[in-house]
C-alpha cells in the first residue's frame, strides 16, 4: 500500500507543475493570491506567484522522502522500540501517507487557483477541501 501512496504523492506533485506549464500562456496578468472565508478572491498578483505552491510542494516532497532514509530515531509512543523493523515500517508508511495527503491537498488548491485565474471557476468554496 505504501507504493500506492508514494505514487499518488508523486502524481500530485507532477500535476502541480504540469498544470502551470500547460496553461502558462492562457493565464491572465492578474491571478488570485488570497481568498476570504467564503472562498472568493480578495487579493491578486502576477502569474509568476503561481510557482510558489509547486516549489514549496517539491521541497516538502523531498523532505518527507529523505526523512525516513535518515538514521534518526523516530519518536513512537508506548515504549515501542523504533529500531524494530515492523515499527519502522509502520512509521515510514505513515510518513508516506502523510506526504500523499499533503501533496494531494496542495495540488487541489493549486489547480483550483489556476482554474479561478482562467475564469473556469467562481470561487474556492467555503471550505478549501470541499469547495466546488
Amino acid at each position: 500500500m505504501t507504493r500506492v501512496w508514494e505514487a499518488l504523492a508523486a502524481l500530485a506533485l507532477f500535476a502541480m507543475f504540469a498544470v502551470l506549464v500547460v496553461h502558462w500562456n492562457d493565464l491572465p496578468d492578474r491571478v488570485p493570491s488570497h481568498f476570504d472565508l467564503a472562498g472568493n478572491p480578495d487579493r491578486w498578483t502576477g502569474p509568476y506567484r503561481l510557482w510558489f505552491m509547486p516549489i514549496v510542494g517539491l521541497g516538502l516532497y523531498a523532505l518527507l522522502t529523505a526523512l525516513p532514509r535518515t538514521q534518526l530515531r523516530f519518536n513512537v509512543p508506548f515504549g515501542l522500540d523504533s529500531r524494530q523493523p515492523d515499527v519502522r515500517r509502520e512509521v515510514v508508511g505513515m510518513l508516506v501517507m502523510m506526504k500523499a495527503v499533503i501533496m494531494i491537498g496542495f495540488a487541489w488548491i493549486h489547480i483550483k487557483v489556476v482554474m479561478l485565474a482562467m475564469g473556469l471557476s467562481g470561487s474556492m468554496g467555503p471550505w478549501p477541501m470541499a469547495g466546488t
Side-chain angles (χ1 to χ4, degrees):
M1 191 65 174
T2 301
R3 289 183 186 195
V4 172
W5 286 110
E6 190 68 55
L8 287 172
L11 182 65
L13 181 62
F14 174 77
M16 284 192 279
F17 283 99
V19 162
L20 269 185
V21 170
V22 168
H23 295 292
W24 185 255
N25 292 330
D26 302 327
L27 292 171
D29 293 335
R30 278 182 13 150
V31 298
S33 64
H34 191 268
F35 302 88
D36 61 19
L37 290 176
N40 300 311
D42 62 3
R43 194 174 317 147
W44 301 83
T45 188
Y48 287 100
R49 181 79 182 263
L50 291 176
W51 288 103
F52 179 76
M53 186 78 81
I55 291 170
V56 169
L58 179 63
L60 279 171
Y61 183 90
L63 177 69
L64 292 173
T65 299
L67 190 62
R69 290 170 171 76
T70 64
Q71 295 300 319
L72 297 175
R73 187 165 187 250
F74 294 111
N75 186 15
V76 293
F78 309 116
L80 296 173
D81 186 2
S82 64
R83 293 169 293 195
Q84 294 292 334
D86 56 334
V87 173
R88 187 168 179 81
R89 186 173 38 255
E90 290 297 320
V91 170
V92 168
M94 287 188 292
L95 282 172
V96 170
M97 186 184 301
M98 182 176 68
K99 176 172 56 175
V101 169
I102 290 169
M103 291 299 107
I104 291 167
F106 270 35
W108 185 89
I109 292 168
H110 179 68
I111 292 168
K112 190 70 172 180
V113 170
V114 171
M115 289 173 58
L116 280 164
M118 294 173 51
L120 300 174
S121 183
S123 75
M124 291 291 281
W127 297 97
M129 296 306 286
T132 56

